[in-house]
Amino acid sequence: MKVDQIIKNAKIYTSDKNNPMAGALAVKDGKFVYVGDEAGLSEYEGDVTDLGGKFIMPGIIDSHVHVTMGAGYEGTSFGEFILNVNSKKEALDFMTDYMKKHPGEERYRFMLDKKYLHDDNITKEDLDAICPDGEIQIQEAQGHSIWVNSKILEKHGLTDDTPDPVPGLSFYVRKDGHITGEMSEGATELPVILDSSMNMTDEQIDAALQRWIDFSVSVGVTGVFDAGIPGFPEFHERVYSRLCEMDRQGKLPIYVDGCYVISAAWEVEEGLKELKRFQKQYNTEHMKVHTMKLFMDGTLKLHSGAMVTPYADTGELGCTAMNTDEVAELLKVLNAENFDFHVHTVGERASRVVLDGVERARKELKDDFHVRVTSAHLQIQDDADLSRFAEQGVIANYTPWWHCEDVDMYKLLFGEKRGANMYRCKSVWDSGALVTWSSDTIVYLDFSSWNPYLGMEVGMTRFITEKTKINDFEKAPGVFPPASERMGIEEMLQGYTINGAIQLGIEDRKGSIEVGKDADFLVFDKDLLTAEHEGFSHNKPEDVYFCGKKVN
């Protein structure tokens, strides 16, 4: 058989459980037509490359990223970080000084970690006092809440009578019935944060996307799940439109699996209608939409992650966007429409509601149930739920570069035992569940945290060391407990390849090096299977192939 490319003398990790290692492959018309030992190449003729023992693996699939949100932040002048402050007054003084040095900006944007306020808070009156004639916003460092002044509230028509999207989860903070200028979660904050992004031209959006594409290609990411923008579908849709246009022009060397985002049960009806439209309208060779995304809860540091056992420091439980009955009903509708379901689940009760909803829907639909359900982030889990992902067929998606955080902070939130027993990905993997990996970063800055090899390193070490390739990150004092939750290299590779493809529903053509699948593969001068775990984040492919074409 005449083929386009023959590779021999390679160490090929295929992610195919039936044929995990190979020494040679052949590609024709963008597909693998042979994978095996060199003896089998006798039936093929074409250009031959002898790799001299170099390492090959499938293209990487990052199964929870924010492509559209990252592009949107490019149009927001992301903001100055308020650092080295230790009180509300110091934060206000920092902003006042900055505005004096930079007069006349259309909107002043800052970022602040709420911990620096020490249980104090900032109100619109505070911001009005330092910025009476302009617009000012502060995004909380966790990315799940903001503070704004009266000018911005007026611009968006937000008043004391504006209803909360999800009371207790996504809401406008109030005091004595009056909105304070603080907003919680994406359904309230992102329409404000990204409003100026709608002024971006197509060329500006394309330029931002090209930066993301160039980085992704450089590290061998050939497929992603875009987790979308809650509360602001207008810009989300603009980016999908540009991605489709890039694909039609042959400029999208990455498979993008998109979604439509909802944040509350009352959004389901409109969300389903829009998801159907998205599926039909944004449908090119390398861009597809077939998933509904739900923000089930918030974050642990802001106490908006939903818990089974109360937070140790406040006694709060957080809340979920839907209850079990609502999840089960939604799953039945998604099942009928052949859609999938991806859920933000940080706290233990958020994922439990998803598992309970799946169990209920499965009991009713039995063998007819086929929704691919992914529960993402999973920072803390109740012991009783660890085996239920496998039992209910729910995909567990983790962001492994997070698995090296400040354990003392979590001990304050959850107590000594629970705070040292988080990110239990190995336990879930060993139970037989399908586990996938992601970067879950929302801005395009220097892309250091988008690096999949950083995810692999921290997934294996639960540690940031001097050898780790990451910028502006506090080095961890030791292994984040429990050390027993560290993963092996093959588990990291599988989660970033074939498991990711299964999550996206494209395992018939991507995720492993098998005959008949798209020829997405990476070539390294180092054997990743034996590479040192500390410093693994410095790895980078020499060559990146997407559908048989070298793209780097």
Side-chain angles (χ1 to χ4, degrees), residues 139 143-146 183-194:
Q139 181 161 2
H144 283 253
S145 66
I146 60 170
M183 307 175 193
S184 173
E185 295 302 327
T188 59
E189 59 165 341
L190 285 170
V192 173
I193 293 172
L194 298 177

Side-chain angles (χ1 to χ4, degrees), residues 85-92 116-118:
V85 299
N86 201 38
S87 68
K88 171 180 168 177
K89 181 181 183 304
E90 290 183 8
L92 294 172
Y116 295 129
L117 298 180
H118 300 288

Side-chain angles (χ1 to χ4, degrees), residues 217-436:
V217 167
S218 75
V219 294
V221 171
T222 58
V224 299
F225 172 75
D226 172 56
I229 302 175
F232 198 47
E234 295 88 349
F235 189 78
H236 183 57
E237 186 167 2
R238 280 200 69 193
V239 176
Y240 280 3
S241 177
R242 298 313 304 160
L243 286 167
C244 286
E245 182 58 29
M246 295 175 89
D247 197 18
R248 285 188 284 267
Q249 295 176 15
K251 298 178 179 178
L252 185 62
I254 302 169
Y255 180 86
V256 179
D257 195 71
C259 69
Y260 187 86
V261 185
I262 64 171
S263 299
W266 59 266
E267 293 182 308
V268 166
E269 184 176 355
E270 180 68 14
L272 285 166
K273 176 179 155 186
E274 287 295 275
L275 179 54
K276 291 177 185 178
R277 182 174 67 83
F278 271 43
Q279 183 183 46
K280 184 176 181 180
Q281 189 165 338
Y282 305 111
N283 180 14
T284 59
E285 183 178 4
H286 302 130
M287 170 85 211
K288 306 290 181 185
V289 181
H290 58 92
T291 300
M292 179 167 283
K293 161 78 182 296
L294 170 69
F295 275 82
M296 181 63 85
D297 68 343
T299 74
L300 300 180
K301 294 177 184 177
L302 298 180
H303 297 85
S304 54
M307 305 305 296
V308 174
T309 303
Y311 289 92
D313 57 341
T314 65
E316 298 174 283
L317 283 169
C319 73
T320 59
M322 289 187 182
N323 61 36
T324 299
D325 290 340
E326 290 166 335
V327 170
E329 289 304 309
L330 173 56
L331 286 169
K332 288 189 286 185
V333 175
L334 293 174
N335 195 78
E337 299 288 350
N338 291 313
F339 289 138
D340 292 331
F341 192 40
H342 190 103
V343 198
H344 169 108
T345 49
V346 161
E348 57 198 6
R349 185 155 56 94
S351 52
R352 176 174 289 185
V353 169
V354 172
L355 291 164
D356 289 346
V358 170
E359 184 174 14
R360 191 165 299 179
R362 280 187 177 279
K363 284 180 179 177
E364 183 170 335
L365 297 175
K366 298 182 172 58
D367 291 341
D368 290 334
F369 184 87
H370 54 261
V371 182
R372 295 185 194 227
V373 180
T374 301
S375 185
H377 309 316
L378 302 171
Q379 287 186 258
I380 185 165
Q381 294 299 123
D382 190 86
D383 289 350
D385 294 325
L386 291 176
S387 64
R388 297 183 66 207
F389 292 89
E391 293 165 2
Q392 299 305 324
V394 173
I395 299 164
N397 177 265
Y398 290 89
T399 305
W401 73 273
W402 295 357
H403 300 185
C404 58
E405 296 192 83
D406 180 359
V407 67
D408 291 333
M409 175 192 65
Y410 286 116
K411 287 179 179 178
L412 288 174
L413 287 176
F414 305 119
E416 285 287 326
K417 182 178 179 181
R418 294 174 69 231
N421 201 28
M422 300 175 61
Y423 298 115
R424 299 167 74 183
C425 47
K426 177 67 171 172
S427 294
V428 173
W429 182 291
D430 287 345
S431 74
L434 190 83
V435 175
T436 60

Side-chain angles (χ1 to χ4, degrees), residues 20-44:
M21 300 299 300
L25 60 81
V27 175
K28 180 179 176 62
D29 297 330
K31 304 282 186 181
F32 295 114
V33 293
Y34 175 77
V35 180
D37 57 24
E38 291 188 22
L41 290 176
S42 60
E43 298 181 17
Y44 303 91

